[in-house]
Amino acid sequence: YIDAEKNSNSKIFLHHIGFNENKDYYKNNVLFLDAHKNSNVSILNIYDESKKSYSMNNVILNQFQDSIVKQSSIYLSSGFIRTDIQNNLNEKGSSSLIDGLFLGSAKQFIDNSIIINHNIEKTYSKVLYKGVLDGDSHAVFNGMVNVPFGSKDINSDQKNHNILLSKKAKINSNPKLKISCDDVKCSHGSTIGNLDSDKLFYLRSRGIDLNTAKKILLNSFISEIIENIPFKEVVDYLNTRIDEII
């Protein structure tokens, strides 16, 4: 439980790691945040777990007047992993940025479910998730932005972008909006595709080998998520791990 008091500023880093990548285990984790008036909270969850793990994660974010919350999830390794995030924007001026990156390989299953509740007027949210899937991996993205009756002057954006590196990898992407009033600005979208063949050809024509060219394009794709992480040492660690994975 995290209680971010009035006018506080917090940066929280949680590393979920399985030291033995072939160890079987089940984990159920809950993170509960109350972000009070004018608080600013940044939370980073990195999941680097066993390839045989079953990992269930729940994140509940309650926000009050003029609070700012940034919640990031980075999935490097797992077996079966699911994360449910519920963001409750309860008072005017509260805003959130929820972003994530998932890298899937072999037979990994990665499931993200995100619900944003704009429970009052003049609240703001942004969701951005990116995925890179290889092998027989399978990912799910379910996003819901809920704007109930009376919650006018809402600004919300929800996006999920994915790259598939193999014919067997797959993603089910379902960004959704539930809007019950007027005077809102809400958008959502999803893209699924392969690496751009024209860009690969351009890099190859400059003497860059195929694997290096793919890494350049993938690093460009995921950099938007990594560059926003407020921990320099963690960014260095992630760049090293991601280079090993892709």
Side-chain angles (χ1 to χ4, degrees):
Y1 174 66
I2 301 168
D3 187 26
E5 296 184 351
K6 180 180 178 181
N7 299 321
S8 64
N9 194 318
S10 306
K11 295 179 181 179
I12 300 159
F13 168 44
L14 301 169
H15 194 181
H16 310 254
I17 185 167
F19 288 105
N20 185 339
E21 67 175 20
N22 294 311
K23 184 71 173 179
D24 294 349
Y25 62 82
Y26 175 84
K27 184 195 76 176
N28 191 357
N29 176 67
V30 178
L31 186 154
F32 193 101
L33 168 70
D34 280 336
H36 294 283
K37 183 178 180 180
N38 290 322
S39 61
N40 191 326
V41 184
S42 180
I43 301 172
L44 170 63
N45 280 284
I46 295 179
Y47 301 95
D48 198 357
E49 306 203 49
S50 162
K51 290 182 171 59
K52 294 185 178 181
S53 62
Y54 290 84
S55 178
M56 309 296 289
N57 306 280
N58 298 276
V59 179
I60 299 98
L61 309 171
N62 292 316
Q63 293 185 237
F64 303 97
Q65 183 179 347
D66 297 323
S67 63
I68 300 171
V69 170
K70 182 180 186 298
Q71 153 66 37
S72 300
S73 302
I74 310 293
Y75 302 87
L76 300 175
S77 178
S78 62
F80 178 103
I81 188 165
R82 176 182 170 94
T83 301
D84 291 275
I85 297 176
Q86 183 178 123
N87 180 205
N88 301 308
L89 299 159
N90 296 321
E91 293 184 359
K92 293 180 182 180
S94 55
S95 63
S96 64
L97 168 59
I98 298 177
D99 62 10
L101 170 68
F102 49 91
L103 306 176
S105 61
K107 294 185 178 182
Q108 295 178 21
F109 183 87
I110 305 164
D111 187 351
N112 283 287
S113 176
I114 302 163
I115 299 174
I116 311 292
N117 293 313
H118 287 267
N119 294 326
I120 198 168
E121 62 184 355
K122 300 184 185 301
T123 50
Y124 315 95
S125 68
K126 180 177 180 180
V127 175
L128 175 62
Y129 269 63
K130 291 191 173 186
V132 178
L133 301 175
D134 203 354
D136 292 320
S137 61
H138 182 191
V140 177
F141 174 85
N142 283 311
M144 169 66 77
V145 172
N146 180 34
V147 182
F149 181 78
S151 294
K152 62 182 180 179
D153 196 11
I154 301 298
N155 193 326
S156 178
D157 181 56
Q158 180 187 190
K159 297 290 190 298
N160 173 226
H161 302 300
N162 307 278
I163 291 178
L164 304 182
L165 298 179
S166 73
K167 292 182 179 180
K168 292 185 178 181
K170 59 182 178 179
I171 172 79
N172 299 103
S173 182
N174 307 292
K176 299 181 288 292
L177 302 174
K178 183 180 179 182
I179 301 173
S180 303
C181 66
D182 299 323
D183 192 19
V184 299
K185 183 180 179 182
C186 297
S187 61
H188 68 311
S190 173
T191 60
I192 302 170
N194 309 115
L195 284 175
D196 190 309
S197 58
D198 291 336
K199 292 178 180 178
L200 275 176
F201 177 79
Y202 175 82
L203 292 172
R204 296 296 306 283
S205 70
R206 296 300 184 270
I208 299 173
D209 66 85
L210 180 59
N211 287 336
T212 302
K214 287 181 177 179
K215 284 194 173 187
I216 289 172
L217 294 181
L218 289 173
N219 281 318
S220 176
F221 175 71
I222 67 181
S223 63
E224 184 177 7
I225 304 296
I226 301 300
E227 289 175 354
N228 286 325
I229 293 173
F231 304 96
K232 182 184 182 303
E233 296 84 358
V234 177
V235 170
D236 292 341
Y237 166 79
L238 285 174
N239 285 330
T240 300
R241 284 289 288 119
I242 289 169
D243 187 63
E244 295 170 355
I245 294 169
I246 65 174

